[in-house]
Amino acid sequence: MAPEATETKKVEEITPQEAFTELDEGGVTLIDVREPYEYEEAYIAGSKLIPLGVVADRISEVAPDKSGRIILQCRSGVRSADAAVVLAKLGYENAANLGGGILEWEAQGLPVESNVNLTPAQRDRYSRHILLPEVGVEGQIKMLEARVLLLGAGGLGAPTALYLAAAGIGTIGIVDDDVVDASNLQRQVIHNTARVGTPKSSSARQTIEELNPDIEVIEYNFRLDANNILEVIEDYDIIVDGADNFPTRYLLNDASVRLKKPVVSASILSFDGQISTFVPYEGPCYRCLYPTPPPPELAPSCSANGVLGAMAGQMGLLQANEVLKLVLGIGEPLIGRLLLYEALGTHFTELKVRRDPECPICGPNAPEVPESEMGRFPDYEAFCGGHTGS
């Protein structure tokens, strides 16, 4: 047997209750060898954080006496056992490993503390997020505090809403004036057969609340127009565009630029989808990409041409992924990039998109909208020539 394996067998292991008694009596140094993001989630009072990777270099800072009593602790007892071997090699004579780690400590009802306001149930629900260094507890709290508005609870909005709710986006607004139809169920997975005839916003709210009771859902069972859009979107951090018509898309673009609201926009048709993220003045806006809508014959609606249900789900999940990156401030959002997806060949194509210096909405020479005119918008039906396709 390898020498290190033999040394590992010599590590003293104590139960959580034994450790609790020793700590209560005093004279013990408790070392937590997990990573900082784990420590933030939950820790044992009085513990000193020294991650396993640096324990050999830093142990003398908190435990200079090599004969003093030390208890080592991690999540499940594995890393702390390794740390005990390291300490033994350094000459520490009285180190013990907490068997089962903080998981067993908590399972036995012993107290833990936290630097953040997540309940035990939330720590369990979002544990796989918390394990990610890019997310951690701090990131999960950002998600719980985030407010995201979905335009539409249809083919794109349905999967987006499900995954944002599962991720813990704390407030989800849903704008949709339609009702569930049997023809929706092939792709709009947030609805079900029993809810045919029910308003989509209500059906989506019910599914979200059953999935995750942490989430507050706000229904807007009406169509966005120039009279209500600013009032609706101003309370949200990010807008998810799943609209099915061009007038709404142009209205949303112009309003979101005025209020400086990021928009994650996608569209689908047949076997094709596209997605981009528009952050006002950081990248192009929707009008930079599409100064005018295409003629109706080049962009028929899904009701006329059909759409592959699974492909709608894939694009909706990409939208959810973009939202989470924006909320967390991680990764590389699709700002200035248009991602095209062709489902039959499973092909992704990325196009670079730049801000249009002549854009009448976000360009450097675009007229500034005075406060008194913020709620006034052009006639988008006329601008789109009666085009209603997506």
Side-chain angles (χ1 to χ4, degrees):
M1 183 174 291
E4 186 161 304
T6 302
E7 293 179 44
T8 302
K9 282 189 172 182
K10 298 177 182 178
V11 172
E12 177 189 355
E13 186 168 291
I14 60 176
T15 67
Q17 190 58 58
E18 290 170 338
F20 181 78
T21 299
E22 286 196 44
L23 292 167
D24 187 53
E25 292 173 351
V28 179
T29 301
L30 177 61
I31 306 295
D32 188 326
V33 300
R34 298 175 299 160
E35 295 300 315
Y37 67 91
E38 297 175 275
Y39 188 85
E40 288 292 310
E41 176 193 358
Y43 62 91
I44 299 171
S47 60
K48 308 293 184 182
L49 176 64
I50 306 180
L52 177 60
V54 296
V55 72
D57 298 324
R58 294 181 49 196
I59 186 63
S60 60
E61 298 173 11
V62 297
D65 181 4
K66 293 187 177 182
S67 63
R69 182 60 165 171
I70 297 173
I71 297 176
L72 294 153
Q73 167 254 312
C74 67
R75 183 173 183 269
S76 62
V78 176
R79 282 172 287 175
S80 49
D82 291 340
V85 173
V86 172
L87 264 59
K89 291 179 178 179
L90 293 173
Y92 284 84
E93 305 167 356
N94 195 13
N97 179 38
L98 176 61
I102 197 170
L103 291 180
E104 185 61 27
W105 176 281
E106 286 190 275
Q108 294 190 17
L110 297 173
V112 297
E113 297 187 11
S114 175
N115 290 332
V116 294
N117 297 319
L118 286 183
T119 67
Q122 288 173 327
R123 289 203 302 269
D124 185 44
R125 176 182 287 269
Y126 306 117
S127 60
R128 299 307 187 271
H129 274 168
I130 292 168
L131 288 172
L132 295 170
E134 296 86 352
V135 181
V137 174
E138 182 180 351
Q140 189 60 56
I141 290 176
K142 286 181 181 179
M143 286 192 274
L144 288 166
E145 293 176 345
R147 299 174 61 86
V148 176
L149 180 70
L150 304 180
L151 266 62
L156 292 168
T160 306
L162 284 174
Y163 271 84
L164 292 182
I169 294 297
T171 301
I172 297 177
I174 299 175
V175 182
D176 202 308
D177 66 341
D178 201 1
V179 298
V180 179
D181 185 83
S183 65
N184 303 146
L185 302 179
Q186 152 261 16
R187 65 200 179 282
Q188 299 179 18
V189 292
I190 205 166
H191 312 300
N192 61 41
T193 304
R195 296 188 200 145
V196 170
T198 301
K200 287 185 179 179
S201 60
S202 299
S203 174
R205 176 184 53 77
Q206 183 176 339
T207 300
I208 290 171
E209 290 176 346
E210 290 171 352
L211 172 65
N212 190 348
D214 283 345
I215 309 306
E216 178 186 6
V217 180
I218 301 175
E219 291 185 57
Y220 301 92
N221 190 19
F222 52 75
R223 181 174 287 273
L224 277 187
D225 60 30
N227 295 317
N228 59 34
I229 189 167
L230 292 183
E231 182 181 356
V232 172
I233 73 172
E234 66 181 352
D235 291 331
Y236 291 88
D237 305 312
I238 300 167
I239 318 299
V240 178
D241 175 16
D244 61 359
N245 65 88
F246 282 107
T248 300
R249 288 185 185 275
Y250 284 100
L251 170 64
L252 172 62
N253 178 76
D254 297 359
S256 63
V257 171
R258 290 183 187 184
L259 295 183
K260 297 182 174 63
K261 301 286 185 179
V263 175
V264 178
S265 181
S267 61
I268 53 175
L269 185 67
S270 301
F271 301 98
D272 299 297
Q274 62 180 40
I275 178 174
S276 189
T277 294
F278 304 111
V279 178
Y281 305 109
E282 287 188 26
C285 73
Y286 187 78
R287 278 188 188 258
C288 294
L289 183 59
Y290 298 110
T292 59
E297 63 271 16
L298 295 183
S301 67
C302 291
S303 60
N305 260 41
V307 61
L308 185 68
M311 192 272 297
Q314 290 165 321
M315 298 307 298
L317 297 189
L318 287 174
Q319 284 188 290
N321 190 58
E322 285 296 293
V323 169
L324 297 182
K325 287 189 292 182
L326 291 174
V327 170
L328 295 168
I330 62 174
E332 185 183 356
L334 287 168
I335 301 171
R337 297 186 290 151
L338 177 66
L339 186 66
L340 308 177
Y341 175 57
E342 191 273 307
L344 288 181
T346 316
H347 294 146
F348 286 92
T349 303
E350 181 180 301
L351 304 176
K352 296 292 185 182
V353 185
R354 303 183 187 279
R355 287 181 65 187
D356 181 358
E358 302 301 320
C359 178
I361 301 302
C362 77
N365 298 318
E368 185 174 345
V369 180
E371 187 68 29
S372 60
E373 300 290 318
M374 286 288 282
R376 297 187 63 180
F377 295 94
D379 184 342
Y380 295 97
E381 295 288 346
F383 173 71
C384 295
H387 195 311
T388 58
S390 58

